Amino acid sequence: MPELDALDARLLLLLTDSPRLGVLECARRLGVARGTIQARLDRLTARGILTGFPPDLDLAAMGYGLTAFAVLEIAQGRRSEVSAALSAIDEVCEVHATTGQGDLFVRMVARTHDDLQRVIDEVVSVPDVLRTSTSIALSTPVPPRVRPLLERTARDS
């Protein structure tokens, strides 16, 4: 069974655009039964495809106008411990284990340049972080997105 079919993709596109829609309104807009929508949502959730409906927040509007990315080299075999310590730093938004030059790729935010220095200092003080390289994001020409994947699935199924 494919991960998503056209109806799943159309439903997820609808919820991407309007995450506060109820099941009945989704059914109406998609022209299917309410029970079909509920079953699809339950299945997508059970399969781990749909993980929730968090609000889409503008971090700059919340006062965190700087975004930075750091590549961390860490002591071998210490990914879990370092990741746990990084998750305790409020301004660390994401951590990805990677291949290549570094071991972890970290997205962090800060209020000012001085605040970013404080966050970086916290990151480099994590035990088993050996080396870091940090870059400040100047803009986000392509924000995080799934729409093109959903549109292709809706179109090709």
Side-chain angles (χ1 to χ4, degrees), residues 19-154:
R20 297 180 70 182
L21 286 181
V23 172
L24 188 58
E25 182 61 17
C26 288
R28 187 188 69 71
R29 290 189 189 187
L30 294 173
V32 298
R34 181 203 166 287
T36 299
I37 295 299
Q38 187 63 59
R40 294 292 180 121
L41 289 172
D42 292 345
R43 183 174 50 86
L44 290 168
T45 302
R47 293 173 64 198
I49 294 171
L50 180 61
T51 59
F53 296 93
D56 187 14
L57 304 174
D58 183 334
L59 292 173
M62 292 174 51
Y64 293 93
L66 286 176
T67 298
F69 298 92
V71 175
L72 277 57
E73 292 179 25
I74 63 173
Q76 193 167 4
R78 306 299 291 182
R79 185 181 66 220
S80 295
E81 294 84 355
V82 171
S83 297
L86 291 171
S87 71
I89 301 171
D90 295 339
E91 294 84 0
V92 169
C93 298
E94 294 178 66
V95 178
H96 299 269
T98 60
T99 62
Q101 293 281 347
D103 302 303
L104 297 175
F105 187 72
V106 179
R107 180 173 70 96
M108 61 188 99
V109 295
R111 295 180 182 276
T112 64
H113 288 94
D114 288 338
D115 191 40
L116 178 59
Q117 183 62 61
R118 177 192 58 78
V119 175
I120 292 170
D121 290 345
E122 280 190 59
V123 169
V124 299
S125 71
V126 169
D128 298 313
V129 171
L130 305 176
R131 182 174 291 118
T132 67
S133 175
T134 304
S135 298
I136 296 174
L138 299 176
S139 66
T140 306
V142 180
R145 64 194 186 127
V146 296
R147 173 173 287 288
L149 299 171
L150 293 171
E151 288 174 344
R152 181 174 53 193
T153 301

